[in-house]
Amino acid sequence: PPPPPPPPPPHFFFTQNPPNAMLRSLGGSEMCIRDSPYLRPIYDALYEFIGFEKVNRLIEKHVIEVAPLAFMRGRTLNECYIILDEAQNTTIPQMKMFLTRMGFGSKMVITGDVTQIDLPNPNQSGLLDAIKILDDIEQITFCELDSQDIVRHRLVKRIVSAYDREK
């Protein structure tokens, strides 16, 4: 019999950039990917907002896909809502690769905190580079948030404000 058709593209695609050593340790296993500490925050947020059972059903139906950034290479995501989290830790080539995965009818949201860059050379942050290079493109919008936008324990706002005052 002919092989089954490929699954339809996901409607929601979430990605993050784990360190290269972590990516090598994933080995491609879906269970390993799902248990990855670098992707855990994405799953935690999905479970909180949608619920554990529903998230797992949507993943099984290929409506939601969560994958490390490197797994996007060579893909084109059409009719999809694509979210890159922790983008401050992408390199410039990784950010360019991510941005060029957008297919027809897709939208991208890129989140990152430029005060929390973990790269050996912070000047090589793909997020910082994208902000500089893409700022004047009409269909691209940048939104800066501050301590007033924090939606966590009220003490977190005070902590962030205290650190901001020390700069």
Side-chain angles (χ1 to χ4, degrees):
H11 296 288
F12 298 93
F13 188 95
F14 300 87
T15 189
Q16 198 173 55
N17 185 36
N20 288 337
M22 181 63 175
L23 183 59
R24 283 192 296 273
S25 74
L26 293 177
S29 162
E30 184 176 327
M31 185 54 92
C32 289
I33 291 170
R34 202 176 283 198
D35 291 338
S36 163
Y38 293 94
L39 297 176
R40 187 83 243 159
I42 294 172
Y43 283 103
D44 289 347
L46 289 168
Y47 294 149
E48 181 179 345
F49 290 106
I50 302 174
F52 184 80
E53 296 297 325
K54 189 168 185 180
V55 166
N56 288 329
R57 276 195 315 274
L58 293 172
I59 289 171
E60 283 177 25
K61 293 179 179 180
H62 302 283
V63 174
I64 293 176
E65 182 176 344
V66 179
L69 181 61
F71 288 19
M72 290 187 72
R73 189 167 303 285
R75 295 183 72 180
T76 300
L77 297 169
N78 294 311
E79 302 296 328
C80 191
Y81 195 78
I82 310 160
I83 299 173
L84 171 60
D85 191 29
E86 297 288 332
Q88 75 274 8
N89 292 319
T90 61
T91 63
I92 294 167
Q94 288 171 326
M95 180 62 78
K96 183 178 178 185
M97 183 273 295
F98 173 79
L99 291 169
T100 58
R101 303 303 95 195
M102 183 168 46
F104 296 107
S106 290
K107 296 189 183 307
M108 289 184 157
V109 173
I110 300 170
T111 66
D113 184 341
V114 296
T115 68
Q116 295 185 16
I117 297 171
D118 295 328
L119 297 171
N121 181 352
N123 293 329
Q124 293 300 307
S125 169
L127 180 58
L128 288 176
D129 191 63
I131 290 168
K132 181 176 59 181
I133 291 174
L134 306 175
D135 190 40
D136 60 348
I137 295 179
E138 194 169 301
Q139 292 177 305
I140 296 176
T141 303
F142 293 94
C143 179
E144 261 187 68
L145 306 177
D146 60 26
S147 62
Q148 299 307 309
D149 300 300
I150 294 172
V151 184
R152 288 190 176 161
H153 190 285
R154 68 176 189 248
L155 193 53
V156 175
K157 285 184 183 185
R158 292 180 181 164
I159 291 168
V160 171
S161 293
Y163 272 95
D164 287 347
R165 280 192 304 272
E166 287 300 312
K167 286 185 185 174

